Amino acid sequence: MSTPTNPLFKRITLIGIGLIGSSLARVIKRDGLAEHICVSTRSEETLNKAIELGLCDSATLDQAEAVKDADLIIICTPLGTYSKVAETIGSHIKPGAIVSDVGSAKKCVFREIAPHLPEGVHLVPGHPVAGTENSGPESGFAELFLDRYFILTPDKDTDQDAVDRVKGLWQAAGMRIETMDADHHDQVLAITSHLPQLIAYSIVDTATQVGDDLQKEIFQYSAGGFRDFTRIAASDPVMWRDIFVENREAVLDILNRFDEDLTALKRAIRQGDGEKLQDVFTRTRSARRGIIEANQHLPEDQKV
Ligand code: NAP
């Protein structure tokens, strides 16, 4: 066990140790950000992997046991598990402790977790906007969060000291911190993350169902754009199922808008309206420049 060099917390418990949980555990271990890190997960296989990878000081399948005495508990499981996890751990959390999460939608945290927390426990929801299409503890890496944004979505009554302590942890992981309303977070992420993901799922599904004759060529000539969609569409189906279920309102709003814009593009193609097409494609080119200027253009595994 490494000696903590810079502990921000005495005891941190991570519920879930997949891509995000294990990447955070690696940062906490590397920089000694907790005196003790406890991990709990669903399966014995993942628990053993976490121990083998040296991601924790203690590990248990018993979530209630895991949160006892923890100062900070971070839920790193799919959104669909939130209610059950919170119900299991709620009455075992000590007063004054902080409960946070890393989920990709935020309004549901108040719906699913808050009702199960006792008085005196602080709920500080958050979302590290960083990821890859891979899952599980082996896929994590400490640099995942470097220079990416961490969005905090506390309620207006949340204890400021608790918010600052969660902020400090993610800053230590190299993240830039933003704070916003959960509703606003869900609208923004519906555009920047959830819609592109749905489009990738839809394109790949369409392309792979065009019939056996074309199948070979689809994979052979995938460098023509399809390849990038297949990478995105290879993401964890359970995680994404839960995101679309939990953030359905914001996703449906942006899908309606997207539908209209796609219909307009379809019309321009049908009418041979090259000017309209060129206008749109010129606008989209400048969006890419904006992402490069914000230094958010490289995939997570190519940043370092
Ligand atoms: P992951 O690699 O698939 O790991 C999921 C973890 O949750 C595993 O430890 C798994 O345990 C555990 N788990 C799954 N179902 C469970 C259940 N019913 N009860 C208890 N534990 C359960 O997932 P991830 O990519 O780290 O994502 C975790 C969270 O981060 C999600 O809420 C997601 O929205 C958010 N997020 C993901 C990304 C991304 O790019 N992946 C980015 C930002 C935020 P076992 O392995 O033992 O079954």
Side-chain angles (χ1 to χ4, degrees), residues 127-270:
H127 177 199
V129 186
T132 73
E133 66 280 17
N134 303 316
S135 310
E138 309 91 328
S139 60
F141 52 104
E143 296 76 17
L144 175 69
F145 307 115
L146 266 187
D147 255 346
R148 293 296 195 239
Y149 283 91
F150 184 82
I151 305 178
L152 278 161
T153 64
D155 185 62
K156 61 176 181 0
D157 301 323
T158 313
D159 178 71
Q160 193 54 45
D161 182 56
V163 175
D164 289 342
R165 295 191 72 197
V166 173
K167 188 170 163 177
L169 177 68
W170 290 99
Q171 267 170 339
M175 299 203 85
R176 310 179 195 190
I177 312 292
E178 289 288 345
T179 302
M180 62 177 79
D181 179 63
D183 197 33
H184 186 65
H185 166 279
D186 289 0
Q187 285 171 23
V188 172
L189 269 291
I191 301 171
T192 59
S193 170
H194 309 168
L195 178 66
Q197 187 74 33
L198 193 69
I199 292 169
Y201 279 133
S202 167
I203 289 176
V204 174
D205 197 40
T206 303
T208 49
Q209 296 205 47
V210 288
D212 292 345
D213 294 352
L214 279 176
Q215 203 65 253
K216 191 165 160 258
E217 277 117 315
I218 286 169
F219 296 123
Q220 198 169 335
Y221 303 120
S222 65
F226 184 62
R227 180 182 56 196
D228 292 342
F229 285 109
T230 61
R231 184 184 57 75
I232 298 170
S235 302
D236 187 64
V238 171
M239 177 182 112
W240 280 101
R241 175 201 68 191
D242 290 356
I243 291 172
F244 288 113
V245 169
E246 295 296 343
N247 198 24
R248 73 186 85 165
E249 280 171 47
V251 170
L252 287 172
D253 270 359
I254 192 63
L255 264 179
N256 287 338
R257 175 71 194 269
F258 174 72
D259 237 12
E260 285 174 22
D261 293 345
L262 190 63
T263 304
L265 277 178
K266 235 160 55 180
R267 191 181 314 115
I269 293 172
R270 191 177 59 243

Side-chain angles (χ1 to χ4, degrees), residues 16-21 41-43 46 63 76-79 81-82 85 102-104 127-128 130-132 134-136 236 239 243:
I17 191 77
L19 171 73
I20 301 295
T41 188
R42 176 178 51 177
S43 69
T46 302
Q63 294 175 355
C76 305
T77 53
L79 297 172
T81 68
Y82 275 21
V85 168
V102 295
S104 309
H127 177 199
T132 73
N134 303 316
S135 310
D236 187 64
M239 177 182 112
I243 291 172

